[in-house]
């Protein structure tokens, strides 16, 4: 066996050694439902813009985020369902999950009329030029 043939075999064997997910593996029905639920919560709270900005900037570190989620799982189980946390951690290991979540958030935000969006807590309906009431300490 020639040296170049052997090098080619080794390259082919380790080509996907550090791949996070198998190629072409589609998301399951439960995974899509979880992403849809997250997108709905974000849009209903009026946080579509900040969420998209955060997800775009944190995109390259999604695998690190999934590992942090696995690490903090015992503490987060007190506030969230265990199945959802595990599924979210597995989804973050995939490179295409954040782009799908961003697309879902943007689609839901564009279809929601502005009048039905809930205001951010603490904001008032008074114009910026008029001072609002001062809360007592």
């Amino acid at each position: 066996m020639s040296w170049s043939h052997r090098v080619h075999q080794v390259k082919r064997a380790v080509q996907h050694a550090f791949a996070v997910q198998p190629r072409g593996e589609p998301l399951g029905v439960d995974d899509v439902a979880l992403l849809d639920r997250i997108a709905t919560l974000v849009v209903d709270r009026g946080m579509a813009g900040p969420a998209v900005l955060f997800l775009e900037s944190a995109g390259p570190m999604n695998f690190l985020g999934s590992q942090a989620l696995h690490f903090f799982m015992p503490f987060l189980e007190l506030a969230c369902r265990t199945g959802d946390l595990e599924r979210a951690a597995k989804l973050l290991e995939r490179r295409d999950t954040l782009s799908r979540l961003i697309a879902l958030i943007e689609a839901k935000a564009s279809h929601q009329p502005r009048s039905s969006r809930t205001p951010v807590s603490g904001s008032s309906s008074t114009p910026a030029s008029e001072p609002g009431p001062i809360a007592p300490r």
Side-chain angles (χ1 to χ4, degrees):
M1 187 180 296
S2 72
W3 176 255
S4 63
H5 182 55
R6 182 75 174 152
V7 168
H8 181 68
Q9 282 182 330
V10 170
K11 279 185 181 180
R12 197 169 20 138
V14 297
Q15 182 178 8
H16 300 291
F18 299 103
V20 179
Q21 72 183 28
R23 289 187 175 190
E25 184 178 310
L27 289 176
V29 176
D30 293 336
D31 299 336
V32 173
L34 179 64
L35 289 177
D36 190 62
R37 209 169 45 215
I38 292 170
T40 301
L41 285 171
V42 167
V43 172
D44 286 349
R45 293 183 180 171
M47 298 297 291
V52 168
L53 179 68
F54 173 75
L55 291 172
E56 288 283 348
S57 64
M61 297 191 332
N62 63 336
F63 185 76
L64 183 63
S66 74
Q67 298 307 304
L69 193 56
H70 282 299
F71 179 77
F72 290 113
M73 188 91 57
F75 304 108
L76 294 174
E77 286 176 349
L78 299 172
C80 303
R81 291 186 281 188
T82 306
D84 287 346
L85 285 174
E86 290 173 0
R87 190 173 300 122
K90 293 272 187 210
L91 283 173
L92 282 176
E93 292 174 2
R94 296 176 58 117
R95 300 222 182 262
D96 62 338
T97 301
L98 290 185
S99 59
R100 288 177 188 228
L101 181 58
I102 290 169
L104 277 171
I105 291 172
E106 289 175 342
K108 288 183 179 295
S110 68
H111 291 291
Q112 186 179 23
R114 286 197 168 267
S115 61
S116 69
R117 294 184 185 161
T118 57
V120 178
S121 63
S123 66
S124 63
S125 60
T126 59
S129 61
E130 297 179 20
I134 298 175
R137 289 187 171 196

